Amino acid sequence: MERLDRLDLTTSMTSTPNTHPQHVLVVGGTGKTGRRVAERLERLGIDVRIGSRSARPSFGWNDPSTWAAAVDGIDAAYLSYYPDVSFPDAAAAVGAFARQAAAAGVRRLVLLSGRGEPEAEPAERSVQEAGVEWTVLRCAWFAQNFSEHFLLQPVLDGVIALPAGDITEPFLDVDDVADVAVAALTEGGHHGQVYELTGPRLLGFADIAAELSRATGRRIDYVSVTPEQYAAAAAAAGVPAEEIEPLTELFTRVLDGHNAYLTSDVQKVLGRPARDFADYARRTAAGGAWQPTGH
Ligand SMILES: NC(=O)c1ccc[n+]([C@@H]2O[C@H](COP(=O)([O-])OP(=O)(O)OC[C@H]3O[C@@H](n4cnc5c(N)ncnc54)[C@H](OP(=O)(O)O)[C@@H]3O)[C@@H](O)[C@H]2O)c1
């Protein structure tokens, strides 16, 4: 972001002068990545519209009647699909939305995707074939899953039980995702790029538990479970039945070790190394996200 803050938005930011996006739609703009993308764009003086069910006007992936208002007057859009870009319904919705956005004059799309997930590629292709400038961000596991998502409660409880064995993963800070997304939305040179974004270090879930223990000053353990045990625990914790199977299936195919390697794409785009999990853990602990609630 330091680099972006210094750029003169009115002149040399893109390869086509004076055509940098001024009005940007951030789909999922209240979520982990989208909220950070929106904040950064606003700091750059760009007009931001949030696309989500709670936004006004409301945007729903399942409600195409909301799409025209979302893209009206928009130059570029950040797309994060919910619940997961690799789920079977994603490609049809993302593709139909991308084509409608292109027809409405949107010139650039940046899609948040998953790394090492062939199931996400149909959604990626649908954006690549929409007839606009595009960038795909294939992301590793987010560090913020432990503070802003489904692993927050396990961290508070002191036990992270996942069907992940001793595989390692290059956990990625969503602040880096947002910095790369903003670069792709506002700078030239990112059209046609599929970036694979990883953190700077491979960590197993036991290493993660140790980092979280250090940062919080509390004991947090990792317990490797079978997919069946994970599904049973999720059901007992009240996760809706229709979400358990796709979630368990997602872990089984993503957490098998095939993503256990690093890339340098964060460095390539931002000119600085990716943020480390230990930095995330320290920052997040200091911000109070893991304070015990007392019940
Ligand atoms: N978690 C990971 O480790 C990871 C790694 C790689 C890729 N990804 C990808 O990240 C994407 C999720 O992005 P995220 O983590 O930034 O978001 P998130 O934190 O899960 O937040 C979801 C966002 O989508 C909105 N939303 C929910 N349901 C919606 C609907 N039906 N229609 C329109 N908007 C809806 C929410 O706002 P409202 O509630 O107001 O609608 C919110 O802004 C998924 O596609 C996933 O595949 C995740």
Side-chain angles (χ1 to χ4, degrees), residues 27-34 51-55 59-62 78 80-86 112-115 117 139-142 145 149:
V27 174
T30 57
K32 290 186 289 304
T33 61
S52 90
R53 295 163 309 170
S54 57
F59 169 89
W61 279 115
N62 306 324
Y78 172 76
S80 94
Y81 182 78
Y82 190 85
D84 196 286
V85 69
S86 69
L112 174 65
S113 187
R115 178 166 169 265
E117 289 191 71
C139 295
W141 257 61
F142 297 159
N145 289 337
H149 200 21

Side-chain angles (χ1 to χ4, degrees), residues 142-266:
F142 297 159
Q144 278 78 1
N145 289 337
F146 295 96
S147 49
E148 301 176 30
H149 200 21
F150 71 112
L151 294 173
L152 169 60
Q153 193 57 47
V155 174
L156 293 174
D157 294 342
V159 183
I160 300 167
L162 283 173
D166 57 3
I167 66 106
T168 58
E169 168 72 16
F171 292 88
L172 174 67
D173 193 316
V174 297
D175 279 309
D176 284 342
V177 180
D179 285 345
V180 171
V182 169
L185 286 163
T186 59
E187 296 174 358
H190 302 291
H191 169 47
Q193 299 294 321
V194 176
Y195 293 125
E196 277 205 34
L197 305 181
T198 74
R201 192 157 59 115
L202 287 170
L203 292 163
F205 282 88
D207 303 321
I208 291 290
E211 293 283 2
L212 294 172
S213 300
R214 237 189 314 278
T216 59
R218 293 198 311 275
R219 180 172 170 175
I220 297 161
D221 291 319
Y222 165 60
V223 180
S224 175
V225 296
T226 64
E228 294 73 25
Q229 286 169 323
Y230 179 80
V239 177
E242 65 275 15
E243 288 180 23
I244 293 175
E245 206 241 301
L247 203 59
T248 311
E249 197 264 330
L250 180 71
F251 291 146
T252 317
R253 69 182 151 78
V254 175
L255 296 178
D256 66 353
H258 76 282
N259 278 330
Y261 64 96
L262 305 176
T263 72
S264 56
D265 282 359
V266 170

